[in-house]
Amino acid sequence: MAKNYDVIVVGAGNGGLVAAATACKLGKKTLLIERHNLPGGAASSFVRGRFEFETALHELAAYGPKEKPQGIRQMFNWLGVDLAMHEIPGAYRYIITGKDGFDVALPNGREAVIDKIEEVVPGSRAGVSKLFDYGEECIKGYDLLQAGKLLQEVAKLAPAFVKYATVPYDQVLAELNIPLKARQILEAYWCYIGIPSDTFEFPYFAEMLVTYVENGAYAPTNRSHEITTALVHAIQANGGDVWFNTEVKRVLTQDGQAVGVQVGNDQIYGRQVICDLVPNTVYAKMIDPAVVPEHTLKLTNARQLGTSGYLVYLGLNKSPEELGIKDYSVFISSTGDSRTQYERMNTLDQNDFMIMNCLNIAVPGCSPAGTSLLYATQLYRDGSWDQVTAENYDEVKDKIARRVIKQYEDATGIKISDAVEEVAIATPETFARYMRTPNGDIYGYYGKKWGQTIARMANLDKEAQPIPHLYFCGGSSFMMDGYSSAYFTGFTIGKMACAALDKEGVKNE
Amino acid sequence: MNKNEEQAAFTKLGELNQRRQEEINAAAATDLPKTYPMNELVKALHPATQYLKVTEIIDHGPDAKSFVFAPDKDKGTTKLATFQPGQYISLRLHIGDSYVTRPYAIRSTPLQAKEGKYVLTMKLVNGGFVTPYIWKNWQVGTTVAASGPAGELFYEPLRDGKNIVAIAGGSGITPFYSMAQAILENTLDVNLTILYGSRRHDNILLGDELQGIAEQTNRVKLVNVLSDEEVPGFEHGFISKDLIEKYAPAADYSIFISGPSVMYQFVMKEVAQLHLAPGRVRHELNGNTAAPDQFAGYPAEAKGKTFSMTVITRDQSKTIPAAANESLLIALERAGIIAPSMCRSGICSACRSQVLDGHTFTPTEFDHRRAADREFGYVNTCVAYPTSDLTLKVPVHDYANQFG
């Protein structure tokens, strides 16, 4: 029985899938183990009646068109994953319903966005143009860092990255004399990472904004499940094994090093073990506490779990045209202040930041003719659902759904509540159920000031193997949450683990 | 960026890292929590396995019984999960060499679940595999493992109107019995009209009990429809469009259907003539057939054959026979493989497996797969039939003992 692997990956989330696909692409004998019967973690789909709903993806970034492939498309090409993807039209529409509110639909493309913001908030042009220059430099900065360049060199080639590395996004926008309203419009993406703009490190936010606006965003034809299933096939095509419905109970250690995993009563040995799990789960339940270094335990205690999600999935029996829906992505709140929006994410009754997506706008034909597929998303901070019990769960869940649907109807004037053919709701409990993350966390770790991408990446070499031969990828790894980030961590960590094997191999010869 | 700015930026970056180290050093080295409130809530609302114990068996004439269950505390189940009236649990049974599942709608109510009680009502299927075993072996004290509550045949306030017309045949009455009683207990806020098809007036499963509920609340109306005899006070014939229109409320309503395949095929044709909005007709648990060749698109040459199926489970492999008229799941169960399954009607996708080689047939009516699963060759084994020799990768469970 084959029970020895070069690389064992635990967890088939986006990060784990790519880590495993990378390892077997590099010729390593690889095993990917997943507890659930589907790949993807939150990146999945489910069928209700005539609809197949997208569980999680809003916009896949860093993909790019075929003729100008960005990082993720290049990675997928290398892995042998070739899917028909749809470019999402427009960036986002942002509606603030309260005092000093606005309703702005941002297009794609740098100049179009600058023009639009100038039109809505005269006097913004110079600042916003500069912001885009900086954002382009920040993209370059991350690329240079990933390529192993030193900060001195980054400072020369991408000065804005270094200059604003520790400055909050909102502060830079203020320094650029971008008027408040325009700042708020340009801060909507904070929700994709869950850090308010007064704390969010500038380079990452600017990189994200410019990546979305200039390179566009993508969605697969058949929901996230198509990407994850294609990745499973890429693994199998390169000789890797994938086991579903299989729970790793323990990470096995010997002499303080990870040497494999326990599945049921079987011990499977692996020279490298990569976990696409929240490290808290591993340290609390899956490994001998004696081998966890004090520094690692302290780091894990010092961090804060990220947010969880709440989604209402709606299959409507009218087409987007009949309903009057034109936008793929609409962000709605009563206030444009991201700090207030973030603070309210701590409460069940005050949280009024929501996103409504209509998938048909990006992927025509994603639901039958004459129907539309919508999903509303809210984020809730760790702990905000702790008081919900089995007794009041349904009531809380339904109440928020009604509120979110009404908020969308009031903000847009589009009536959807009388066209519901199918509905399903996901809460932090749902994410805890399917992903088994602590408290249903979907965003990995919250980005405290000292724990966002720059600090994480700067410490990657030191922290990548908290225990020899044990690595982590995915949302809790060295980047923040999101599909592209999870893929990148899987790719980087997968390569790192393989490189270490190659080095050992040379040593042994 | 001038030299000074650059120097200042490097200093700030150094400070950021310094701060990181300080925060880590200042943090506790205490053990991390083993669980969290949401993960505990999952155990209460959506347990992967519930261990049950039979506390009472009620006879309903010669061919039907109700089994009353309490949590099997010896096996670690202390409470029963709540559910939506209309949902089912899937029992996991070890019969002879086979490990099989059977979904049964919970006939009792959420209030009773809270008090530690589920009731399942079954009809004996002569020549069947499971019910004769249960009739012969189950007694008070028998233990059985089950899934958590599942299924989509329930009232959803964000979607459905306040009026539900339930169409039931035989033991298909159980989800509606649960709804009726929940209405009586004030935990379900709908008006329910039950059109209940039976053969004869003296053979209506739970007929008296349902009548009792209907007499206590005007929100539950019961119409018995007899196919085999004409008796005053009962409707006669099948549940037709005219009959539905006669009893359905004038206002906006949804139709829920639960019953044997034959009834379902008939009723769906009648319901279609009512032209209700899509989504206003819901049904469940109709996915089994022993005659896949009766469905459109079946390759005629496969009929009557027995194929050879190589089954890969993790790092093991085994070759077993697979008859054309039985689902892949049944072939797996006959061979003693502990294959995952739950709803057995093509909906829940618990039995999702990968066809590595060969061909299968899934009737369109039962094909609720994700598009990418169709694209990449995955099937739901409970509704997929072999049409050639094949190789199937089955994700057998390793954890807990799925079968108690």
Side-chain angles (χ1 to χ4, degrees):
Chain A
M1 214 189 291
K3 288 209 171 156
N4 287 294
Y5 288 87
D6 293 324
V7 179
I8 296 174
V9 180
V10 185
N14 286 333
L17 284 164
V18 169
T22 299
C24 47
K25 177 73 187 175
L26 292 173
K28 306 301 175 204
K29 191 164 162 19
T30 305
L31 169 64
L32 171 61
I33 307 179
E34 167 57 45
R35 183 198 61 80
H36 192 35
N37 78 328
L38 300 171
S44 188
S45 77
F46 63 94
V47 174
R48 287 284 186 281
R50 302 192 286 167
F51 298 86
E52 181 176 347
F53 290 99
E54 166 63 50
T55 48
L57 180 65
H58 286 197
E59 312 184 64
L60 180 59
Y63 191 76
K66 203 162 196 152
E67 58 283 3
K68 197 188 160 198
Q70 304 296 309
I72 300 297
R73 193 192 271 266
Q74 291 171 15
M75 181 198 299
F76 279 12
N77 286 345
W78 179 70
L79 292 171
V81 171
D82 182 17
L83 295 171
M85 295 277 210
H86 299 256
E87 188 174 358
I88 292 164
Y92 55 85
R93 178 175 168 192
Y94 197 10
I95 306 176
I96 298 303
T97 54
K99 194 173 157 282
D100 302 321
F102 51 80
D103 180 351
V104 185
L106 287 192
N108 273 334
R110 173 185 162 127
E111 294 314 316
V113 166
I114 295 170
D115 288 348
K116 184 75 196 177
I117 294 180
E118 174 65 23
E119 176 197 321
V120 182
V121 192
S124 307
R125 183 178 296 282
V128 179
S129 300
K130 202 79 196 152
L131 171 65
F132 273 86
D133 292 344
Y134 288 174
E136 286 162 21
E137 279 181 27
C138 290
I139 294 176
K140 201 190 278 177
Y142 280 105
D143 288 347
L144 291 167
L145 275 192
Q146 294 220 335
K149 302 288 183 215
L150 295 175
L151 271 179
Q152 279 76 5
E153 201 166 341
V154 177
K156 284 197 185 65
L157 298 168
F161 180 94
V162 172
K163 186 173 176 187
Y164 297 117
T166 61
V167 185
Y169 180 72
D170 182 61
Q171 191 180 320
V172 177
L173 269 59
E175 282 175 20
L176 289 171
N177 293 317
I178 299 175
L180 179 66
K181 190 165 152 185
R183 268 154 60 194
Q184 292 185 343
I185 295 169
L186 290 161
E187 286 170 1
Y189 279 140
W190 80 272
C191 59
Y192 283 176
I193 306 297
I195 308 168
S197 64
D198 60 7
T199 308
F200 202 131
E201 64 190 4
F202 176 78
Y204 191 52
F205 202 129
E207 181 257 12
M208 183 166 66
L209 174 76
V210 172
T211 298
Y212 275 124
V213 165
E214 295 189 3
N215 300 327
Y218 286 78
T221 309
N222 291 314
R223 313 314 97 81
S224 293
H225 185 63
E226 186 176 35
I227 307 180
T228 60
T229 308
L231 283 165
V232 167
H233 275 249
I235 295 167
Q236 292 175 334
N238 285 312
D241 288 337
V242 185
W243 294 352
F244 291 107
N245 281 338
T246 305
E247 182 176 16
V248 168
K249 289 238 185 320
R250 303 284 294 173
V251 172
L252 303 172
T253 57
Q254 214 170 62
D255 304 327
Q257 309 194 352
V259 294
V261 298
Q262 179 153 344
V263 172
N265 294 320
D266 290 345
Q267 302 192 327
I268 323 266
Y269 291 94
R271 294 166 66 200
Q272 305 280 32
V273 177
I274 302 174
C275 292
D276 183 10
L277 303 171
V278 181
N280 300 50
T281 306
V282 176
Y283 302 140
K285 295 193 285 202
M286 293 172 61
I287 201 163
D288 177 7
V291 305
V292 182
E294 190 182 77
H295 176 271
T296 299
L297 195 56
K298 284 184 160 190
L299 167 63
T300 313
N301 271 312
R303 302 178 106 169
Q304 179 184 327
L305 293 173
T307 68
S308 188
Y310 173 94
L311 289 101
V312 187
Y313 306 95
L314 295 162
L316 304 181
N317 60 20
K318 291 195 177 99
S319 68
E321 294 76 26
E322 287 171 271
L323 294 162
I325 298 175
K326 292 190 180 67
D327 307 288
Y328 171 69
S329 214
V330 188
F331 302 156
I332 306 168
S333 178
S334 66
T335 170
D337 180 67
S338 70
R339 169 57 61 180
T340 311
Q341 292 169 349
Y342 170 76
E343 295 301 339
R344 288 177 184 169
M345 270 164 50
N346 230 356
T347 69
L348 295 184
D349 54 340
Q350 303 289 311
N351 186 355
D352 76 350
F353 187 91
M354 65 165 287
I355 310 166
M356 181 68 91
N357 289 91
C358 176
L359 191 58
N360 308 74
I361 304 298
V363 186
C366 69
S367 68
T371 68
S372 340
L373 197 158
L374 272 67
Y375 43 114
T377 308
Q378 283 206 302
L379 296 173
Y380 284 88
R381 280 164 66 187
D382 177 41
S384 53
W385 278 67
D386 284 4
Q387 304 311 314
V388 177
T389 63
E391 281 68 38
N392 68 3
Y393 177 77
D394 283 337
E395 190 191 322
V396 170
K397 179 176 101 159
D398 282 8
K399 197 173 158 191
I400 297 175
R402 286 176 196 284
R403 185 179 76 207
V404 164
I405 291 169
K406 185 172 187 304
Q407 190 183 354
Y408 174 77
E409 291 185 335
D410 290 349
T412 61
I414 295 167
K415 182 92 174 144
I416 55 171
S417 52
D418 57 358
V420 178
E421 178 176 329
E422 298 291 343
V423 57
I425 295 169
T427 71
E429 190 266 353
T430 314
F431 291 104
R433 176 184 176 194
Y434 287 106
M435 297 164 73
R436 295 218 180 159
T437 52
N439 246 1
D441 180 8
I442 57 172
Y443 270 15
Y445 291 116
Y446 173 71
K448 290 187 178 180
K449 267 197 128 158
W450 52 269
Q452 299 182 33
T453 61
I454 290 170
R456 290 186 193 188
M457 288 168 76
N459 288 281
L460 178 59
D461 283 344
K462 206 164 66 187
E463 293 173 356
Q465 284 183 75
I467 291 157
H469 307 297
L470 177 70
Y471 304 77
F472 288 92
C473 65
S476 313
S477 186
F478 66 90
M479 295 182 75
M480 309 303 291
D481 63 271
Y483 278 49
S484 332
S485 296
Y487 294 144
F488 273 124
T489 65
F491 182 61
T492 306
I493 296 293
K495 280 201 302 189
M496 199 184 264
C498 292
L501 285 178
D502 293 342
K503 213 166 149 190
E504 273 178 31
V506 171
K507 225 190 298 175
N508 291 343
E509 273 166 19
Chain B
M1 185 163 57
N2 61 37
K3 269 280 158 234
N4 286 344
E5 282 176 332
E6 190 178 306
Q7 202 45 54
F10 284 147
T11 306
K12 289 270 186 214
L13 275 166
E15 284 168 9
L16 178 72
N17 212 34
Q18 183 67 31
R19 166 99 188 268
R20 181 182 176 85
Q21 300 316 320
E22 284 165 13
E23 293 279 351
I24 296 169
N25 292 337
T30 47
D31 289 344
L32 294 151
K34 287 204 171 8
T35 187
Y36 300 81
M38 279 307 104
N39 305 77
E40 289 302 299
L41 189 57
V42 171
K43 290 182 196 163
L45 289 173
H46 298 105
T49 303
Q50 302 189 91
Y51 295 102
L52 310 175
K53 189 181 263 180
V54 177
T55 58
E56 192 188 345
I57 300 175
I58 304 160
D59 277 317
H60 306 288
D63 65 347
K65 287 180 197 287
S66 285
F67 297 91
V68 182
F69 297 91
D72 182 359
K73 296 195 168 86
D74 298 337
K75 286 235 171 72
T77 298
T78 55
K79 286 180 177 169
L80 299 178
T82 188
F83 61 97
Q84 304 291 341
Q87 286 192 303
Y88 66 85
I89 53 172
S90 191
L91 300 182
R92 299 163 184 168
L93 303 151
H94 187 181
I95 302 175
D97 292 331
S98 293
Y99 296 85
V100 303
T101 57
R102 283 294 181 276
Y104 293 101
I106 305 169
R107 194 259 278 182
S108 48
T109 62
L111 212 58
Q112 289 172 301
K114 209 171 168 181
E115 291 156 4
K117 182 173 162 180
Y118 282 161
V119 182
L120 302 183
T121 300
M122 303 176 193
K123 247 188 169 165
L124 178 66
V125 182
N126 283 311
F129 186 62
V130 169
T131 50
Y133 168 87
I134 289 176
W135 254 242
K136 187 165 167 233
N137 292 283
W138 278 18
Q139 45 194 307
V140 169
T142 295
T143 60
V144 63
S147 70
E152 304 301 324
L153 189 72
F154 57 80
Y155 168 69
E156 166 50 67
L158 296 166
R159 176 194 67 204
D160 301 318
K162 280 274 178 222
N163 300 301
I164 292 172
V165 173
I167 300 177
S171 58
I173 192 65
T174 51
F176 306 133
Y177 190 100
S178 173
M179 289 184 195
Q181 202 173 340
I183 291 168
L184 191 61
E185 291 170 356
N186 275 321
T187 58
L188 181 61
D189 181 21
V190 296
N191 304 307
L192 181 67
T193 303
I194 304 175
L195 305 179
Y196 184 13
S198 302
R199 287 182 189 281
R200 298 185 317 273
H201 78 287
D202 56 358
N203 188 26
I204 300 175
L205 179 59
L206 300 170
D208 294 343
E209 293 87 341
L210 269 172
Q211 190 55 44
I213 294 173
E215 279 164 12
Q216 293 173 68
T217 168
N218 58 13
R219 302 193 76 182
V220 177
K221 291 197 169 49
L222 176 65
V223 180
N224 282 298
V225 186
L226 306 177
S227 60
D228 290 11
E229 59 178 11
E230 281 191 66
V231 178
F234 294 85
E235 287 287 350
H236 171 67
F238 293 111
I239 299 170
S240 64
K241 167 185 170 272
D242 291 345
L243 195 75
I244 298 167
E245 282 185 317
K246 180 174 170 188
Y247 290 102
D252 171 52
Y253 61 93
S254 296
I255 291 182
F256 287 10
I257 306 166
S258 167
S261 250
V262 199
M263 182 208 85
Y264 170 74
Q265 305 293 347
F266 178 84
V267 166
M268 278 308 274
K269 288 196 189 94
E270 298 294 308
V271 166
Q273 300 169 41
L274 295 166
H275 303 292
L276 298 185
R280 282 301 168 95
V281 182
R282 318 198 73 84
H283 63 88
E284 209 164 73
L285 303 182
N286 281 294
N288 277 305
T289 176
D293 56 300
Q294 298 301 303
F295 291 83
Y298 187 82
E301 64 278 10
K303 194 182 172 185
K305 290 191 177 149
T306 294
F307 300 104
S308 163
M309 175 158 75
T310 300
V311 181
I312 298 171
T313 55
R314 273 196 285 275
D315 49 1
Q316 313 268 324
S317 126
K318 188 174 178 179
T319 300
I320 64 169
N325 67 339
E326 289 186 342
S327 69
L328 302 180
L329 178 60
I330 291 175
L332 295 165
E333 290 171 344
R334 285 193 188 282
I337 293 167
I338 310 182
S341 69
M342 191 166 76
C343 77
R344 302 184 81 93
S345 55
I347 291 176
C348 77
S349 91
C351 61
R352 175 186 186 263
S353 298
Q354 186 182 9
V355 179
L356 295 175
D357 184 39
H359 300 283
T360 64
F361 172 74
T362 299
T364 312
E365 287 85 338
F366 307 146
D367 192 351
H368 306 286
R369 280 178 290 175
R370 296 166 175 86
D373 281 345
R374 249 180 257 133
E375 182 187 342
F376 285 98
Y378 291 80
V379 294
N380 290 328
T381 60
C382 69
V383 291
Y385 296 81
T387 55
S388 76
D389 291 345
L390 73 156
T391 305
L392 187 71
K393 193 164 187 247
V394 181
V396 294
H397 277 273
D398 69 296
Y399 62 82
N401 180 351
Q402 226 214 142
F403 286 84

